[in-house]
Amino acid sequence: MILERLFIQNYKQLRDPVELFPPEGAVGVVGANGAGKSTLFESILWAFFGSRGGGPRFANESIPWSGGSTKDPSVVEVTLATDGGSYMVRRQLKGGSTSAEVRDGDGRTIVTGTSDVIRWVEETLLGMDRTAFEATFYARQKELRFFANDDGISRVRRISKLLGIGGVEAAQALLREDRNALRSEARVLEKRLAEADLESFQAELKEAREACDRLEGELEKVSTELVSAEEELRSARAARDALESSYREHSRLTADLRAAEAEGRRAADRVAEGEKDLADLAAAEEELGRLKPRTARLPEVTAELEKLEEDRRLAEERDRGRRECLQGQRRVSDIEGEVWDVLEGLDGGDGEVVPGFDALFELDGPDLLQRAVAVLDGATGELEKAEARHEELRDLSARHEAYRAAEEEVLRARARHEEAKEEARGLREELEDLSGGEDPERREEELRGEEERLKELAALHRGRANAHEREAKNVDRAREAIDSGAEDHCPTCHRGFDGGEQEEISDTLKRQAASLRRQAAVESAEAEKLTRSAEESAEKLQRLRARTDRWRSLRESLVRAEDRAADRLTTLEGLDKELAERRESLEGTRPPTREDLQDARDRRARLRGVRDARPAVAALAAEHSRLTGRVSELLARLEELSDLSYDAEAHREKSAEKDRLERARGRVEELERRLETRAGVEETLEEARGRVEEAGKAAEKLREEVKALGFDEEAYEAAAGRVASSEERVSGLRDAREGLGGDWKDADHRIERAKTELKRLDDDRKLANERAAAAARMDEMDGLFTEFFRSLTARARPMLEAEASGLVRELTDNRYESMEFDENYRVRLLDRFDDSYAIERFSGGEADVASLSARVALSRLVAARGGNTLGFLVLDEVFGSLDAGRRNNVLLAVERLKRSFGQIFIISHVGEVQESALVDEIWLIEEDEEGKSRIRRMDAPLGGTPEPLLEAGLLGSDGGPE
């Protein structure tokens, strides 16, 4: 089973579509931390199993790229090639909803639905669940280290989890939690039983039973008395009911009598009110006879008062006209003076400011005003000419000044340009002297590459020397075993020794060990030589680096200086062109003097004053004309009103007389309206008198009926008293019975409560015994779980040893024969002489190869349990903590693993993976400035132009380390 195709879109960092067709062999997945290397393979787990059992990294809200829209679908398609054909598993997340399907090699859909797809993948495609599959194809750096670094308990737990038997420990932990809970509950129950007072509950039960018997006797006695009282109450109620009908009739007649008497009193009151109203109407009629003749003079008085009002109005108009005429005459005189003052203020200076201005001083009155406005109207045109002349002189002066400033700026720009040229020339000469004709950067890169190459070669030779030395020691041990007689057969062919062969074989082994040590010495010498050469290259690189830094600084300074010189030359050329244009525009002109500018400013100022004075003079002229006409009109009207006379005292008397007459007329109208109501008042009075008579008759009739009834009120009240007394006695006996019943219920409740507490204590005793017994059974189950877990791990250990031994023989070229694990899965290696060594005794590279063999053996073992052949393997950052020599050893081991696996994916951020010839293809993941990444495929070793996997192969970062 190998990975045939992987398509990803909008999955965490992988924002844009990317389609991968992994080849067989080793594929290096390289890039910086956080670029998305591990996420590339986590997408396979999500496609197969969704969010189930994956933790927060596989939750729906964590899947889409954080920089995109949640409406964009997240899609992962994984195609596996199996012995039964190819199958494509597709999972999509869009808008928080997930869909999934499985297609066969012909594109036919065979399973749909998220749960059904997960079930089909576990049962049919993989034959294992998520935990087992992840343990099979995915090996992380920590999963290689735990064989050598973790303690025994941690190592066993990790391996049991990878083998899928970690659930036994989880179940045992749950069992222990339940057992502890049962023990705690039993202790709580025992404590509660110890604190309970059994004797007090029994005493309370006895006391409650005695109280219950006593209350039953008292309750029976009260019930008998209640029956007697109720009989007496029924008799009293019968007697009261016999008087009830007479009582109700007497009450009705009495109420009707009170109503008739009240109606008679109200009718008598209305009679008194009617008689009073008739008396008031007679008085009003008498008053009307006195007032009505007096109101006949009102029209005459009104006419006289209107004549006096007109005289007063004309007198007031005459007074106002006199005052207004006097004010108008004064204002006309003031206007003529103001205009004269304005003209005198505008006069001055040499020459006439506007034509006709001097002739104005020979006029006065209306002629002066009219002529002044006409003359001042001509100031606007003269002012425009003066302003145009002033602006012309100012512009010419500014242009001459700008030309002189431009000449000075050209001189300064030419000096700055020459300064920049001289600076660039000096930097260029210094740069040529420093470089000596070669590229320091290229030389620095060559020395760095040479240093790295020499270090790698030295590490390789040192590793060979160590291997030869270890082989020589093994040969010495074999020779010592033969010399001492501990071995009686040949270590090579395993046959017994013939006579004298021991010495010959011993000599051969001695020569072989000496040869191996000579080879180790040669390799060590070569390693030392290469190390010294690497150190020399490092010293050269250090010396060159200071010169290169200075060379870079000078080169950057030269670029900046040349840029400044070019910029300043451009500026100088622009200034020269501008100066020539200014010179051409000023040809044939002379700069104006200060006197010319001052004369132009003075004339402009005088004309502005004349122009500004014109609106005021025009307004004064218009006001003068208006006031002159108004004064003439007022004089004519005053002439008309000169003979008018007005008596103010007579006016006041006539006004007071009119007010008195109008009030009298109002009173007359009011009295007439009141007299119109006389007929209604008389009618109401007659009706009220009739109602008085009717009410008196009705009251007399009701008194006779009450007397004829003969109702005895004292007998009725006595019967009611007996009923009330009987009801009170019955109520008291009922309350007593209710109280005794409540006390009896309380006593009965105390009996039940005491019985309940005694039963609860008995139940607690039984429950405590049950919980203690269950906890004891769980103790036995805990021991069985422990034995079961040990049995499972013991059964898995021989299979893991067999698988790991085959791998370690293959990866070490039979240097080590087998691998053993103790009960805590601590690794021991056996060489071909059956010598056993703990993994801590080996060099770092050999320990890494042993750990890799053990981890891959685990993957094979888990895959075999699911009935599948492991076809691809992912090694995630297994080189992160290794030095260069150990990384090379593990890479050599991975090369040998390619014989057993169809595909090996190596996730790493170190450079050796990119440059190793053992990797068949490189996938380079790079993050861009927008937080997305690009995957580029390169043939290994790195050398050609990188080829993007897809043009849309940009991926976004998830914001955190892998």
Side-chain angles (χ1 to χ4, degrees):
M1 179 174 62
I2 64 172
L3 182 62
E4 192 173 72
R5 173 181 173 269
L6 178 61
F7 174 80
I8 306 170
Q9 178 181 357
N10 196 34
Y11 184 88
K12 294 189 178 181
Q13 292 102 321
L14 316 183
R15 173 64 179 93
D16 294 321
V18 58
E19 189 172 22
L20 308 173
F21 296 93
E24 294 188 4
V27 177
V29 183
V30 299
N33 287 337
K37 302 186 299 297
S38 298
T39 303
L40 194 66
F41 295 97
E42 287 178 357
S43 65
I44 299 176
L45 292 172
W46 183 74
F48 284 166
F49 304 102
S51 302
R52 182 186 299 176
R57 285 183 62 84
F58 293 90
N60 283 348
E61 59 270 16
S62 303
I63 297 304
W65 180 52
S66 59
S69 171
T70 56
K71 296 181 180 179
D72 298 333
S74 298
V75 181
V76 177
E77 297 177 358
V78 182
T79 303
L80 293 183
T82 67
D83 295 338
S86 295
Y87 294 97
M88 187 271 285
V89 180
R90 185 179 193 272
R91 187 173 297 272
Q92 174 177 301
L93 172 64
K94 184 176 182 181
S97 178
T98 307
S99 60
E101 64 175 338
V102 179
R103 298 178 184 175
D104 60 13
D106 297 328
R108 293 189 298 269
T109 300
I110 56 177
V111 180
T112 59
T114 55
S115 299
D116 292 339
V117 166
I118 294 174
R119 189 180 305 110
W120 185 89
V121 167
E122 290 179 346
E123 297 176 357
T124 305
L125 180 63
L126 303 178
M128 63 186 77
D129 60 9
R130 181 193 189 108
T131 302
F133 178 68
E134 189 172 2
T136 301
F137 91 102
Y138 207 84
R140 296 175 175 85
Q141 179 181 0
K142 60 184 180 182
E143 295 174 359
L144 296 184
R145 292 200 305 265
F146 73 80
F147 279 105
N149 299 337
D150 286 10
D151 57 38
I153 296 176
S154 175
R155 188 161 48 240
V156 171
R157 285 178 177 169
R158 285 178 180 269
I159 294 174
S160 63
K161 181 179 179 181
L162 294 175
L163 290 173
I165 60 177
V168 176
E169 278 197 326
Q172 189 175 15
L174 295 175
L175 174 69
R176 289 172 178 171
E177 290 179 4
D178 293 342
R179 179 198 61 191
N180 294 334
L182 289 173
R183 285 178 176 172
S184 298
E185 188 175 354
R187 284 194 294 271
V188 170
L189 292 171
E190 292 289 347
K191 182 179 179 183
R192 192 158 61 192
L193 288 169
E195 293 174 353
D197 190 354
L198 182 61
E199 293 180 356
S200 66
F201 287 133
Q202 292 174 346
E204 183 179 357
L205 177 60
K206 180 180 178 182
E207 180 184 351
R209 283 175 175 170
E210 292 174 353
C212 192
D213 294 338
R214 176 179 55 79
L215 290 170
E216 284 179 354
E218 293 179 1
L219 183 60
E220 184 177 357
K221 179 181 178 182
V222 171
S223 298
T224 302
E225 293 178 359
L226 178 61
V227 170
S228 175
E230 288 177 345
E231 183 63 30
E232 182 181 348
L233 176 61
R234 282 193 295 272
S235 176
R237 283 176 176 173
R240 187 193 61 181
D241 293 342
L243 296 172
E244 186 69 30
S245 58
S246 299
Y247 169 73
R248 286 195 295 271
E249 182 63 21
H250 179 268
S251 297
R252 183 184 66 78
L253 293 173
T254 304
D256 291 344
L257 176 60
R258 286 195 296 270
E261 291 174 347
E263 180 62 25
R265 288 192 296 272
R266 287 194 295 271
D269 292 340
R270 287 197 293 274
V271 169
E273 290 176 1
E275 291 174 348
K276 182 178 180 299
D277 290 341
L278 286 177
D280 291 342
L281 289 174
E285 188 175 9
E286 182 181 355
E287 185 181 1
L288 179 61
R290 291 195 311 271
L291 293 177
K292 194 169 184 179
R294 292 169 55 188
T295 60
R297 284 194 74 251
L298 183 61
E300 181 183 353
V301 172
T302 301
E304 293 176 356
L305 185 60
E306 290 177 355
K307 178 64 172 62
L308 289 171
E309 287 283 350
E310 179 65 19
D311 291 344
R312 185 188 65 179
R313 185 186 63 78
L314 293 175
E316 291 175 352
E317 180 184 356
R318 181 181 59 191
D319 294 340
R320 288 195 304 272
R322 288 173 179 172
R323 289 193 297 273
E324 185 179 355
C325 182
L326 181 59
Q327 292 173 357
Q329 291 172 346
R330 290 175 180 172
R331 178 60 184 157
V332 166
S333 177
D334 292 341
I335 288 173
E336 293 176 354
E338 289 178 12
V339 171
W340 190 264
D341 292 340
V342 168
L343 294 176
E344 286 185 347
L346 295 175
D347 191 23
D350 298 335
E352 211 174 26
V353 63
V354 290
F357 185 80
D358 293 342
L360 294 177
F361 294 99
E362 300 176 0
L363 303 175
D364 58 5
D367 295 338
L368 173 63
L369 293 171
Q370 294 176 0
R371 183 58 184 165
V373 171
V375 171
L376 294 181
D377 283 341
T380 302
E382 293 294 328
L383 177 61
E384 292 177 355
K385 296 177 183 178
E387 287 181 342
R389 176 59 180 167
H390 179 259
E391 288 299 323
E392 180 182 353
L393 292 175
R394 282 185 59 195
D395 178 66
L396 184 60
S397 176
R399 286 161 58 197
H400 278 281
E401 184 66 27
Y403 175 75
R404 289 191 294 272
E407 286 181 331
E408 296 176 359
E409 182 63 24
V410 167
L411 293 176
R412 289 193 296 270
R414 184 169 286 109
R416 288 196 300 271
H417 175 243
E418 292 298 330
E419 179 183 351
K421 286 172 58 179
E422 186 63 28
E423 180 185 2
R425 187 181 302 110
L427 289 172
R428 195 177 296 107
E429 292 175 356
E430 185 177 357
L431 188 64
E432 291 176 357
D433 294 340
L434 183 63
S435 64
E438 67 174 359
D439 188 349
E441 288 183 335
R442 184 181 297 108
R443 177 58 179 164
E444 182 181 2
E445 187 65 28
E446 291 174 356
L447 285 175
R448 188 181 295 108
E450 181 180 355
E451 180 188 3
E452 293 294 330
R453 183 179 58 81
L454 291 172
K455 285 182 179 179
E456 290 181 2
L457 290 175
L460 179 61
H461 284 284
R462 195 175 292 109
R464 291 175 179 173
N466 293 335
H468 290 321
E469 185 63 34
R470 286 194 299 272
E471 188 68 19
K473 290 180 180 179
N474 292 334
V475 172
D476 286 340
R477 283 196 295 270
R479 182 175 58 81
E480 291 172 0
I482 293 172
D483 292 342
S484 64
E487 293 287 346
D488 58 355
H489 59 276
C490 177
T492 304
C493 62
H494 301 285
R495 65 179 180 81
F497 293 125
D498 293 335
E501 285 185 341
Q502 291 92 333
E503 294 181 1
E504 182 180 351
I505 292 173
S506 176
D507 292 340
T508 301
L509 292 176
K510 184 177 181 180
R511 288 193 300 274
Q512 183 179 357
S515 176
L516 288 171
R517 285 194 170 87
R518 284 194 300 273
Q519 294 177 17
V522 171
E523 293 292 343
S524 297
E526 184 64 22
E528 291 296 327
K529 179 180 177 182
L530 291 170
T531 301
R532 288 194 297 272
S533 299
E535 292 173 352
E536 292 174 358
S537 298
E539 293 175 359
K540 293 179 182 178
L541 180 62
Q542 187 65 28
R543 292 193 299 271
L544 179 63
R545 190 166 291 152
R547 189 160 59 93
T548 303
D549 292 341
R550 175 58 181 166
W551 180 81
R552 290 194 187 99
S553 176
L554 288 174
R555 185 178 61 181
E556 293 173 359
S557 299
L558 175 60
V559 171
R560 289 194 295 270
E562 290 176 345
D563 290 342
R564 282 196 301 271
D567 292 341
R568 291 177 180 179
L569 178 60
T570 302
T571 303
L572 176 61
E573 291 174 350
L575 291 173
D576 281 335
K577 182 178 179 181
E578 181 182 355
L579 182 64
E581 292 174 353
R582 291 182 182 277
R583 186 184 301 110
E584 183 179 355
S585 66
L586 293 174
E587 187 175 356
T589 63
R590 67 173 184 83
T593 63
R594 292 185 178 179
E595 291 76 8
D596 296 337
L597 289 171
Q598 186 61 42
D599 291 344
R601 282 194 295 271
D602 292 344
R603 177 161 178 75
R604 183 186 63 179
R606 287 188 66 194
L607 287 171
R608 283 180 178 175
V610 174
R611 180 199 62 186
D612 295 341
R614 190 268 176 199
V617 172
L620 291 172
E623 185 180 3
H624 184 276
S625 176
R626 179 178 60 78
L627 290 175
T628 302
R630 179 59 180 166
V631 168
S632 299
E633 293 176 359
L634 290 173
L635 290 174
R637 181 59 177 168
L638 291 174
E639 183 65 27
E640 294 176 359
L641 299 176
S642 60
D643 297 333
L644 177 68
S645 63
Y646 168 67
D647 188 350
E649 183 63 27
H651 188 191
R652 283 192 296 274
E653 292 177 355
K654 285 296 179 183
S655 178
E657 184 180 0
K658 181 183 177 183
D659 291 342
R660 289 194 299 272
L661 292 175
E662 286 180 345
R663 286 196 297 272
R665 185 175 64 182
R667 178 62 178 167
V668 167
E669 291 175 352
E670 179 183 356
L671 293 173
E672 288 175 345
R673 284 193 300 272
R674 288 184 61 189
L675 289 172
E676 291 175 355
T677 64
R678 184 192 297 272
V681 171
E682 292 174 349
E683 183 180 354
T684 302
L685 178 61
E686 289 299 325
E687 182 180 354
R689 287 171 178 169
R691 294 295 297 275
V692 169
E693 185 178 354
E694 291 176 0
K697 293 178 180 179
E700 186 62 28
K701 181 181 179 182
L702 290 169
R703 289 190 192 98
E704 292 177 356
E705 290 179 358
V706 170
K707 185 177 180 181
L709 183 61
F711 174 70
D712 189 352
E713 188 172 357
E714 292 181 359
Y716 178 78
E717 291 179 354
R722 287 194 299 275
V723 171
S725 176
S726 298
E727 287 178 345
E728 183 177 358
R729 183 166 178 264
V730 168
S731 177
L733 290 172
R734 284 177 179 168
D735 290 342
R737 186 180 66 176
E738 292 293 332
L740 291 171
D743 293 340
W744 181 86
K745 289 181 180 179
D746 290 341
D748 186 65
H749 177 69
R750 287 166 59 197
I751 292 172
E752 293 298 327
R753 185 177 59 188
K755 289 180 178 179
T756 302
E757 287 297 325
L758 291 172
K759 184 178 181 302
R760 182 182 63 80
L761 291 175
D762 186 57
D763 292 341
D764 285 349
R765 170 58 61 191
K766 294 178 181 178
L767 185 59
N769 294 336
E770 291 175 1
R771 294 294 187 264
R777 289 195 300 271
M778 288 187 176
D779 272 336
E780 296 177 3
M781 293 176 64
D782 185 27
L784 293 175
F785 265 118
T786 301
E787 292 299 325
F788 180 56
F789 182 75
R790 289 175 179 172
S791 174
L792 287 177
T793 55
R795 290 174 57 189
R797 194 163 57 247
M799 294 184 286
L800 183 61
E801 287 178 348
E803 194 71 39
S805 297
L807 283 170
V808 79
R809 281 196 300 271
E810 182 179 358
L811 297 183
T812 60
D813 291 331
N814 294 319
R815 184 182 307 138
Y816 298 104
E817 190 69 22
S818 62
M819 183 182 294
E820 293 180 348
F821 299 93
D822 61 12
E823 61 181 5
N824 288 329
Y825 284 91
R826 185 167 177 267
V827 176
R828 296 185 67 85
L829 292 178
L830 284 78
D831 59 14
R832 58 177 175 265
F833 301 108
D834 292 333
D835 291 328
S836 175
Y837 305 99
I839 194 171
E840 294 84 355
R841 293 280 304 276
F842 291 91
S843 66
E846 290 173 323
D848 294 331
V849 172
S851 297
L852 179 63
S853 302
R855 179 59 184 85
V856 174
L858 268 176
S859 294
R860 284 183 171 178
L861 191 59
V862 175
R865 289 175 58 234
N868 285 311
T869 302
L870 187 62
F872 67 96
L873 180 67
V874 178
L875 302 178
D876 190 353
E877 295 291 0
V878 297
F879 304 104
S881 62
L882 308 181
D883 56 26
R886 293 173 65 183
R887 284 197 292 270
N888 188 59
N889 291 335
V890 175
L891 281 172
L892 291 173
V894 170
E895 171 66 16
R896 294 186 176 94
L897 278 178
K898 289 161 60 176
R899 308 168 192 169
S900 304
F901 293 91
Q903 295 167 321
I904 299 179
F905 298 93
I906 306 172
I907 299 176
S908 180
H909 65 277
V910 298
E912 282 84 347
V913 175
Q914 302 181 39
E915 300 171 0
S916 175
L918 304 178
V919 179
D920 299 297
E921 186 172 288
I922 296 292
W923 293 352
L924 177 61
I925 302 180
E926 299 173 312
E927 187 176 13
D928 65 9
E929 59 186 12
E930 295 181 357
K932 298 187 292 186
S933 301
R934 160 174 281 181
I935 300 180
R936 296 190 295 168
R937 182 180 61 217
M938 297 172 285
D939 294 333
L942 185 66
T945 301
E947 175 188 357
L949 291 177
L950 285 178
E951 292 183 359
L954 295 178
L955 313 173
S957 174
D958 62 358
E962 297 174 349

